[in-house]
Amino acid sequence: ADPGPRVVSTWDFGVGANQAAWKTLAGGGSALDAVEQGARWAESELCNPTVGRCGNPDRDGVLSLDASIMDGDGRCGSVAALVDILHPVSVARQVMEKTPHVMLVGQGAQQFAMEQGFPREKLLTPAAEQAWKAWLKTAEYAPQINAERRSIPGDSSNHDTLGILARDAQGRLAGACTTSGMAWKLHGRVGDSPVIGAGLYVDNEVGAATASGVGEEMIRNAASFLVVELMRQGRSPAQACHEAIARVVRKRPEASRTLQVCFLAMNRDGEVGAYALHRGFVYAVCDARRQDDLRDSSAVY
Ligand code: SD4
């Protein structure tokens, strides 16, 4: 039986993002519009040190945002290292719809956003600036394994990206991913979230996948693409996420002890699964029956 519309998001704040997306899905809207709305909620409403306006800056004190959006028909857009623009996911969508390109970065991305009418505004919060100044005293870059419920402004250990995947009433899939990346990253560092195939991949024929955690590992393994391709070969979403994590570990067994990597996937039938390298990853599921369901990474929906 067709499960109807469904949306899933990474982390506990995924509940809020799903509810924003659900307003679109429940009204018969498209998966693409739904994931954009969910990501916009996280960028502006959520005060989290790793997404949108409350994000922690890089080591030079600059808050730069990465985001991507992908439709199950293969259209996609992304922005990386975007500064002083609140809604990178919507800029990514404009890149997809208004340009012949897929990805814009840095100043060019900002220029494009302003040409499209996005206001330029200072985003760095006083809390994030303070956290950065405190970090400068040691200036040590050591990402820690993230765990559930740590949405504390200025918390440097937190690296929780919003990845959101939706299936609409017509069975179309879409996904989006938005983040400020790793706190205290090198200026100019780009994570997995805006890299199509790394932090996000969607194919209507198979399913969709997104990632959270230390993005360098996702890029190395083309990880979200890998999860989708594993589902294409017949794995369930949970099996595909599990196998992709095993691949990450096989490549870098030592590093895997201290880095968090999390995958979330949904197949074309709406079946959901997730897996993470370390404990603490949760994801939120929302459909006509449940709007605030929070699941552990090892659970199969
Ligand atoms: C990045 N993947 O920029 C992002 C950060 C993150 O959970 O997910 N955190 O590497």
Side-chain angles (χ1 to χ4, degrees):
D2 191 301
R6 181 170 284 167
V7 56
V8 297
S9 291
T10 54
W11 303 109
D12 56 345
F13 52 74
V15 171
N18 283 352
Q19 285 168 351
W22 185 251
K23 289 191 189 128
T24 298
L25 286 178
S30 71
L32 188 66
D33 287 338
V35 294
E36 184 185 3
Q37 289 310 315
R40 284 175 66 93
W41 175 86
E43 288 167 351
S44 55
E45 298 299 318
L46 176 70
C47 208
N48 175 297
T50 57
V51 181
R53 72 155 79 244
C54 292
N56 279 333
D58 64 24
R59 63 186 54 196
D60 294 347
V62 180
L63 172 60
S64 78
L65 304 176
D66 292 345
S68 62
I69 190 161
M70 186 163 190
D71 190 84
D73 65 7
R75 291 180 306 142
C76 53
S78 76
V79 288
L82 181 63
V83 174
D84 292 345
I85 304 283
L86 177 59
H87 285 302
V89 72
S90 294
V91 183
R93 183 160 180 185
Q94 297 295 304
V95 172
M96 172 174 109
E97 290 180 345
K98 303 249 172 80
T99 81
H101 309 307
V102 164
M103 186 174 201
L104 292 179
V105 306
Q107 267 202 323
Q110 190 192 56
Q111 184 187 328
F112 170 75
M114 285 160 59
E115 284 164 10
Q116 296 299 315
F118 289 86
R120 193 175 156 180
E121 51 186 304
K122 276 269 157 261
L123 298 179
L124 192 66
T125 60
E129 192 173 355
Q130 252 181 20
W132 169 62
K133 287 188 174 146
W135 174 79
L136 277 179
K137 290 184 189 138
T138 57
E140 206 179 300
Y141 180 73
Q144 282 164 29
I145 293 171
N146 43 4
E148 186 188 354
R149 298 191 188 284
R150 268 212 244 143
S151 305
I152 305 159
D155 177 358
S156 66
S157 61
N158 190 309
H159 46 98
D160 300 351
T161 291
L162 178 79
I164 179 166
L165 309 172
R167 181 185 188 275
D168 63 28
Q170 276 102 66
R172 294 172 300 192
L173 302 174
C177 198
T178 186
T179 191
S180 57
M182 309 299 293
W184 336 132
K185 60 192 176 185
L186 280 177
H187 185 61
R189 179 264 189 188
V190 171
D192 59 311
S193 307
V195 177
I196 298 299
L200 177 69
Y201 199 73
V202 187
D203 184 340
N204 276 338
E205 284 182 2
V206 179
T210 189
S212 181
V214 179
E216 281 74 7
E217 303 310 309
M218 282 67 117
I219 296 175
R220 272 188 245 282
N221 291 281
S224 290
F225 182 71
L226 173 63
V227 170
V228 170
E229 291 310 296
L230 288 167
M231 290 194 287
R232 194 189 305 274
Q233 291 165 22
R235 307 311 189 276
S236 70
Q239 285 167 340
C241 292
H242 193 282
E243 204 167 320
I245 289 290
R247 182 84 61 93
V248 169
V249 175
R250 256 201 328 276
K251 280 252 170 76
R252 302 220 308 144
E254 276 305 310
S256 295
R257 286 194 202 165
T258 53
L259 302 178
Q260 178 63 303
V261 174
C262 320
F263 297 127
L264 173 62
M266 175 159 62
N267 67 18
R268 54 180 282 193
D269 300 323
E271 190 191 345
V272 178
Y275 204 73
L277 187 45
H278 296 279
R279 285 181 53 237
F281 178 54
V282 293
Y283 62 96
V285 182
C286 169
D287 57 24
R289 281 183 305 152
R290 284 162 285 208
Q291 259 105 70
D292 57 358
D293 199 6
L294 203 57
R295 303 247 151 185
D296 188 76
S297 65
S298 50
V300 179
Y301 193 72

